[in-house]
Amino acid sequence: SGSKDKREYFRWHYAHEIVKIAKEKGKAIVIEGLEIKEKGKRGDFSGRKSRRIRHSFSYKSLLSKIKTLAKREEIEVIEVNPSYTSIIGMLKYAPQYMITKDIAAAYVIARRGLGLQEKIPDNYIKFLNALTVEELEELKEYVKKTVRNKHLREKHIKEIKKAIKFLQSLESKPGRVLEPLDGTSFSTYDFWRVLKVAVVTPLSPEKVRRDFSALKELLIQGKWGGP
């Protein structure tokens, strides 16, 4: 159909533009990998996001065209683990550079392509060290009372319960200092997930938040107010 042909045309057009920019700048192209082998490390690539990307013909078709054109131009295409790119982007780079969470996620993807690690900022670590199970329990009750959408309310409560369980698992650690380092039994992703629950959920429990500038004081100055 005409609509289908039009979509196909634009996919080729965008692929050409992306490869053209990469060639002009002499850079590789970094994209999210679609295959996730480690079930326990899906992060924010599970659920709706996973289904949207995995089953989106347009997305797969665009990536295929980018790879085809890049190979023709001898431009490297790097596929990276997509786990938690959105969460890290919204918490670390969106407030820091006053950009949207989508651009911030792209920034994380690009950094992974360079082999860079995402260290949790010091003020976030301090916040996590001070966070208590009681505060998360209060947040859970707050969500129960304020969020009218049943699906969203249940989603928040499920995430909060996971965060509570994770904090409880840390209580046996001396001083309960959160240091997500290689070699520990915890993944850095666990800390990012708890951080998202503790700071993003209170800010916007009833809708998807677009502006993360409110996190800048916590990120830069270590200042934070509860719900």
Side-chain angles (χ1 to χ4, degrees):
S1 67
S3 179
K4 182 178 179 181
D5 291 341
K6 189 174 182 180
R7 288 195 297 270
E8 182 72 358
Y9 165 79
F10 278 113
R11 283 192 287 268
W12 276 115
H13 174 73
Y14 294 139
H16 273 286
E17 287 299 309
I18 290 168
V19 173
K20 178 183 176 183
I21 292 171
K23 185 177 181 180
E24 288 175 350
K25 295 184 177 295
K27 304 293 184 181
I29 298 171
V30 185
I31 61 175
E32 289 182 314
L34 295 179
E35 296 301 323
I36 304 172
K37 296 179 181 179
E38 297 182 78
K39 185 178 179 182
K41 295 185 178 180
R42 291 177 298 175
D44 59 346
F45 196 66
S46 60
R48 285 186 297 173
K49 181 178 179 182
S50 177
R51 289 193 295 272
R52 185 175 69 248
I53 293 178
R54 285 179 186 275
H55 302 298
S56 170
F57 174 80
S58 291
Y59 186 80
K60 290 181 180 179
S61 179
L62 175 61
L63 292 187
S64 176
K65 289 170 174 55
I66 290 172
K67 290 178 181 179
T68 298
L69 295 176
K71 185 176 181 180
R72 187 182 301 169
E73 297 292 343
E74 298 184 338
I75 295 171
E76 183 182 11
V77 175
I78 303 169
E79 295 189 50
V80 300
N81 184 346
S83 298
Y84 291 85
T85 51
S86 295
I87 291 177
I88 295 172
M90 77 167 69
L91 291 171
K92 189 173 183 179
Y93 298 113
Q96 190 174 167
Y97 299 119
M98 305 298 284
I99 54 180
T100 67
K101 67 173 186 175
D102 293 327
I103 294 175
Y107 192 75
V108 176
I109 292 168
R111 285 174 54 83
R112 285 187 182 175
L114 293 171
L116 300 175
Q117 300 295 315
E118 295 297 347
K119 179 185 176 184
I120 299 178
D122 290 342
N123 283 328
Y124 279 165
I125 288 291
K126 291 176 183 177
F127 173 84
L128 287 170
N129 273 316
L131 184 65
T132 65
V133 169
E134 289 72 24
E135 287 173 316
L136 290 178
E137 289 286 0
E138 289 179 10
L139 176 59
K140 185 172 68 176
E141 293 305 313
Y142 174 73
V143 166
K144 286 181 180 179
K145 294 176 182 178
T146 60
V147 180
R148 288 169 290 183
N149 182 291
K150 182 181 178 181
H151 173 76
L152 185 58
R153 182 172 64 248
E154 290 177 350
K155 177 177 178 288
H156 282 320
I157 291 173
K158 184 178 179 180
E159 290 177 344
I160 294 169
K161 285 181 177 179
K162 284 184 178 180
I164 289 172
K165 186 176 180 180
F166 179 67
L167 280 190
Q168 289 173 334
S169 71
L170 294 174
E171 289 180 350
S172 61
K173 292 174 69 67
R176 217 206 75 174
V177 177
L178 309 185
E179 295 181 350
L181 304 174
D182 291 337
T184 66
S185 58
F186 305 110
S187 164
T188 303
Y189 295 148
D190 292 322
F191 296 90
W192 283 113
R193 189 177 68 242
V194 173
L195 189 60
K196 172 183 175 288
V197 168
V199 300
V200 176
T201 304
L203 285 175
S204 184
E206 292 195 88
K207 59 182 180 180
V208 177
R209 193 171 184 87
R210 304 293 179 187
D211 178 13
F212 294 92
S213 58
L215 299 180
K216 193 168 186 177
E217 279 199 349
L218 173 60
L219 177 62
I220 306 300
Q221 301 173 23
K223 297 180 181 179
W224 180 249

